[in-house]
Amino acid sequence: MSLGLSTAGESHGPALVAILSGLPAGLVLDRAAIDADLHRRQQGYGRSPRQQLEQDQVEVLAGLRHGRTLGTPLALLVRNRDHKNWEWGMNPWPPEGEPSGKGTKPVTLPRPGHADLAGVLKYGHEDVRDALERASARHTAVYVAAGAVAKALLRELGIGVAGSVLEIGGERESWEAAIDAARTDRDTVGGVVEVRATGVFPGLGSYASREERLDARLAGALMGIQAVKGIEIGDGFALARERGSAAHDEIEPGLRRRSNRAGGLEAGVSNGEEIVVRAAMKPLPTLMKPLDSVDLATGEPAQALVERSDVAAVEALAVVAEAAVAWELARAAREKLGGDALADMKAAHAAYLERIRTR
Ligand code: EPS
């Protein structure tokens, strides 16, 4: 048994939903802690005015009773408050009455770098909105809610996960000016985030197959976040320029390491050191000064779609990446330790730590 996560929801549809399966029974969840992560994701300099409209809050529809998980699927919901402006345009059913609000006219101007063109070709859509609504980073909200649940489970095992921004628009500190300059130029900027996980015990993941490697799973989860184009684990790309003698983490008595160039992962297995992963985000592709494109209705050259968007969303990425890493670590811990009940999982954890302590 493992943890499972499925999500659904369009950016301007009624709501985002997630179903989390495989959670142990008896895990105490704190609504305020989940909402605090949802709030953190919405902060950050350079976000779209949309963020003033949305004040994300989790609703739990199933799998929880009096704040404790039941060991059954946990169903989470985050509403899109902006949906009230898109009731006709994003109605799940054929809308009644005259078109009103937003999203009433088909979009035919694909933005380079967004899902627009690939999406309409792949799914046979006429209206680019049919692709962009799900491709939008809006639904990272519900992944953050799932990540908050994963963090609650990891905390029971002494594991903490934290994401932070390393750079935005090429600036390693005080990036507000870079974001302001991009906004003035009607442009966007990307950046780099880092996630660190402390207290991770050795033995999460496995080298037995590609699918089980924890480094591959973390990389996959991070690459699955909108606009991420590069992943690094530990010293990553810098290791390619080192000799072997300077690239590895020597082992001392007590099985401690002198360094952590591997970022806490060897052969796809956690080695007990801090897990360190980074993700690079490209500049967002919705530009107020649009790039060249083609009008899909006429085949003629045209400018890409311009619509309200963020100048930078790197600070949000740090929170989303933290949630993704937390989810993958919780999943690996669930596989390693089993446990229908949290108490079983904690007992297995203690027994395992005792076994490796005597080595
Ligand atoms: C997004 C575009 C913007 C962002 C959105 C992601 O939305 P809108 O077009 O409605 O202004 O605000 O992110 C969120 C709504 C969010 O909650 O993070 C995109 O195209 O990916």
Side-chain angles (χ1 to χ4, degrees):
M1 184 65 185
S2 184
L3 294 186
L5 175 58
S6 10
T7 70
E10 279 73 43
S11 179
H12 305 100
L16 309 163
V17 294
I19 295 184
L20 288 61
S21 59
L23 289 167
L27 176 67
V28 173
L29 297 183
D30 175 5
R31 188 185 347 193
I34 302 174
D35 286 346
D37 274 355
L38 291 174
H39 182 69
R40 278 171 68 216
R41 192 197 69 91
Q42 294 196 272
Q43 303 310 296
Y45 202 68
R47 298 305 308 277
S48 134
R50 168 91 184 263
Q51 297 311 318
Q52 273 115 56
L53 247 108
E54 305 291 348
Q55 279 124 41
D56 294 337
Q57 284 181 327
V58 74
E59 291 170 46
V60 179
L61 306 181
L64 197 69
R65 184 160 182 241
H66 303 167
R68 294 171 89 86
T69 56
L70 296 173
T72 51
L74 181 72
L76 307 181
L77 179 142
V78 176
R79 288 184 198 280
N80 294 320
R81 295 193 187 192
D82 199 16
H83 179 65
K84 65 178 186 300
N85 302 312
W86 297 74
E87 261 174 49
W88 196 96
M90 286 302 295
N91 199 313
W93 298 106
E96 288 168 8
E98 288 305 302
S100 65
K102 297 185 179 181
T104 54
K105 293 199 183 68
V107 176
T108 60
L109 305 169
R111 293 159 294 176
H114 216 289
D116 303 355
L117 183 56
V120 294
L121 295 176
K122 177 174 169 69
Y123 292 101
H125 296 313
E126 296 295 326
D127 182 349
V128 169
R129 181 157 303 285
D130 287 341
L132 71 85
E133 280 287 330
R134 176 64 180 164
S136 160
R138 168 69 189 152
H139 84 261
T140 58
V142 87
Y143 279 117
V144 166
V149 173
K151 285 196 295 179
L153 177 56
L154 292 172
R155 252 193 308 278
E156 296 286 343
L157 305 173
I159 298 172
V161 187
S164 63
V165 175
L166 294 187
E167 55 181 277
I168 300 180
E171 299 292 337
R172 294 201 134 245
E173 13 194 293
S174 63
W175 36 70
E176 276 86 354
I179 296 172
D180 286 341
R183 185 187 287 106
T184 305
D185 294 343
R186 292 147 68 219
D187 219 325
T188 58
V189 284
V192 180
V193 304
E194 181 174 86
V195 182
R196 289 175 176 259
T198 52
V200 181
F201 55 88
L204 292 182
S206 173
Y207 46 75
S209 70
R210 199 155 76 179
E211 292 73 29
E212 292 169 90
R213 285 184 174 252
L214 183 57
D215 48 6
R217 282 159 59 153
L218 291 171
L222 291 169
M223 190 58 91
I225 302 169
Q226 286 80 350
V228 169
K229 284 301 230 185
I231 303 291
E232 190 171 51
I233 295 189
D235 286 358
F237 282 82
L239 290 176
R241 298 186 282 270
E242 294 289 351
R243 287 196 165 177
S245 54
H248 299 288
D249 306 313
E250 288 182 295
I251 305 169
E252 293 180 341
L255 306 186
R256 294 236 151 74
R257 301 304 180 108
R258 289 205 185 119
S259 53
N260 186 22
R261 298 171 177 122
L265 289 153
E266 290 171 313
V269 183
S270 63
N271 65 7
E273 299 297 310
E274 194 174 27
I275 289 190
V276 184
V277 294
R278 285 179 279 277
M281 183 184 219
K282 69 183 180 182
L284 300 176
T286 307
L287 301 177
M288 298 304 126
K289 186 175 60 185
L291 297 174
D292 288 348
S293 184
V294 164
D295 188 334
L296 297 176
T298 64
E300 296 297 322
Q303 303 283 282
L305 171 70
V306 177
E307 68 169 28
R308 178 187 69 186
S309 192
D310 310 293
V311 179
V314 187
E315 290 174 270
L317 175 64
V319 181
V320 177
E322 173 185 301
V325 167
W327 183 261
E328 287 308 316
L329 292 180
R331 194 157 75 94
R334 176 72 171 88
E335 288 163 17
K336 176 79 182 89
L337 303 171
D340 294 324
L342 180 63
D344 296 348
M345 209 175 169
K346 289 175 81 163
H349 180 235
Y352 174 68
L353 291 186
E354 182 56 22
R355 172 167 77 70
I356 60 175
R357 189 184 65 78
T358 51
R359 289 293 294 267

